Amino acid sequence: MSTTGERDEKLFQAGTAANDGAFTPGDWSLFVSIAVIWGSSFLLIDIGLDAFPAGFITLLRIASGAAALWCLLLRPGADRSTIPAIRREDRRRVLLLSVIWVALPFTFFPLAQNHINSSVTGLLNGATPIFAAAVAALLFRQWPRGPLAVGIAVGFAGIVCISVPSIDDGSSQALGVALVLAATVCYGFALNLAGPLQQRYGSLPLMARVLALATLWTIPFGLWDIGDASWEFGPLLAVLVLGVVGTGIAFALMGSLVGRVGSTRASFITYLIPVVSLTLGVT
């Protein structure tokens, strides 16, 4: 008979598997909503950079997102007994998730947009499904097949086509491209960790903890050059919207989607995000 630890490990591995069934209308609603929200995030970062240093944008974004989720969890009338304690064996995974799903990539994106524009950033973010599938294949032997494999191949070709011209334009743009791709690698690992944890603890409780921890990790860099901020209303509002809606609410929705359809299929949302980011960036 399996021990509790063995059952938990099986759940962790099973949670990374993609659901092979068709998307339900609810799945599609989550998919499109997240794409629109996250597709807008690169433009909001761009607006924020007009007044704030990159590190402060990261800190304010994460902190306001964490505050939004905790307000939802602790709102009057909410059943606080539904906020489960994190098991000891999962604590390291939650800590790791706070670093690779939030702290690092959210730091990389504003830094990258000091060198490349929001449209290119959004397009490069489309590499996420490639890395999510690669991580699942390497760690859990979930080799993509059929249309999934074709989609990954096409996506990889697209990323190469986007990256090469930027790299040719000089070292500054090359650095921006490298930072975005590093962020998508982090997402690839994070999506494979998030699925089983979300199934076990629920989307809101998990993401509230992850964002709270990530806030702590980003405080030093966020306050490093706070003296350079100009505190203009428009950029401040853009970053707060980025945090509350684009981070808090969107991460809760994404956690739910990963739990419903699997990490690899959920990560395909980043093929729709570039459409939104490119449209807004050009406009």
Side-chain angles (χ1 to χ4, degrees):
M1 184 174 181
S2 298
T3 65
T4 300
E6 289 171 340
R7 288 196 300 270
D8 288 346
E9 188 62 28
K10 289 177 181 178
L11 175 62
F12 180 78
Q13 294 186 11
T16 62
N19 184 337
D20 291 332
F23 272 32
T24 66
D27 296 337
W28 279 116
S29 296
L30 285 172
F31 192 90
V32 174
S33 298
I34 299 166
V36 172
I37 294 172
W38 276 349
S40 306
S41 66
F42 306 107
L43 179 59
L44 294 174
I45 291 173
D46 220 17
I47 296 172
L49 286 170
D50 289 339
F52 302 109
F56 181 72
I57 290 175
T58 297
L59 175 59
L60 183 58
R61 174 186 185 179
I62 297 172
S64 58
L69 289 189
W70 281 108
C71 284
L72 287 174
L73 286 173
L74 303 178
R75 67 188 183 278
D79 184 4
R80 300 187 183 185
S81 65
T82 60
I83 307 176
I86 302 296
R87 300 178 189 176
R88 178 171 304 193
E89 63 269 24
D90 286 332
R91 289 174 186 171
R92 286 183 297 178
R93 290 168 178 162
V94 174
L95 285 171
L96 179 60
L97 202 60
S98 72
V99 174
I100 64 173
W101 202 4
V102 181
L104 285 180
F106 281 21
T107 298
F108 291 157
F109 280 121
L111 290 173
Q113 286 186 226
N114 281 319
H115 305 282
I116 57 178
N117 62 45
S118 62
S119 298
V120 174
T121 305
L123 291 172
L124 288 171
N125 190 58
T128 298
I130 299 169
F131 295 116
V135 170
L138 291 174
L139 297 183
F140 308 110
R141 305 302 182 197
Q142 299 170 15
W143 304 106
R145 294 177 300 216
L148 184 61
V150 173
I152 291 172
V154 172
F156 181 79
I159 296 303
V160 171
C161 291
I162 296 166
S163 302
V164 170
S166 296
I167 294 174
D168 288 343
D169 285 341
S171 59
S172 178
Q173 290 206 17
L175 175 60
V177 169
L179 287 169
V180 175
L181 291 179
T184 61
V185 171
C186 289
Y187 282 159
F189 281 94
L191 286 169
N192 283 281
L193 284 174
L197 292 173
Q198 185 276 331
Q199 290 173 347
R200 181 174 294 162
Y201 300 109
S203 178
L204 285 180
L206 174 65
M207 290 312 306
R209 288 183 170 96
V210 166
L211 288 173
L213 288 169
T215 300
L216 296 177
W217 314 150
T218 54
I219 285 175
F221 183 53
L223 299 181
W224 180 260
D225 49 2
I226 188 63
D228 295 336
S230 60
W231 299 102
E232 298 175 22
F233 176 75
L236 178 61
L237 179 62
V239 178
L240 288 175
V241 171
L242 176 67
V244 175
V245 179
T247 304
I249 295 175
F251 260 90
L253 295 177
M254 185 61 176
S256 178
L257 184 64
V258 168
R260 292 169 65 140
V261 305
S263 59
T264 300
R265 297 179 79 210
S267 71
F268 268 64
I269 199 169
T270 51
Y271 284 150
L272 185 56
I273 289 173
V275 178
V276 179
S277 66
L278 181 61
T279 301
L280 291 176
V282 170
T283 302

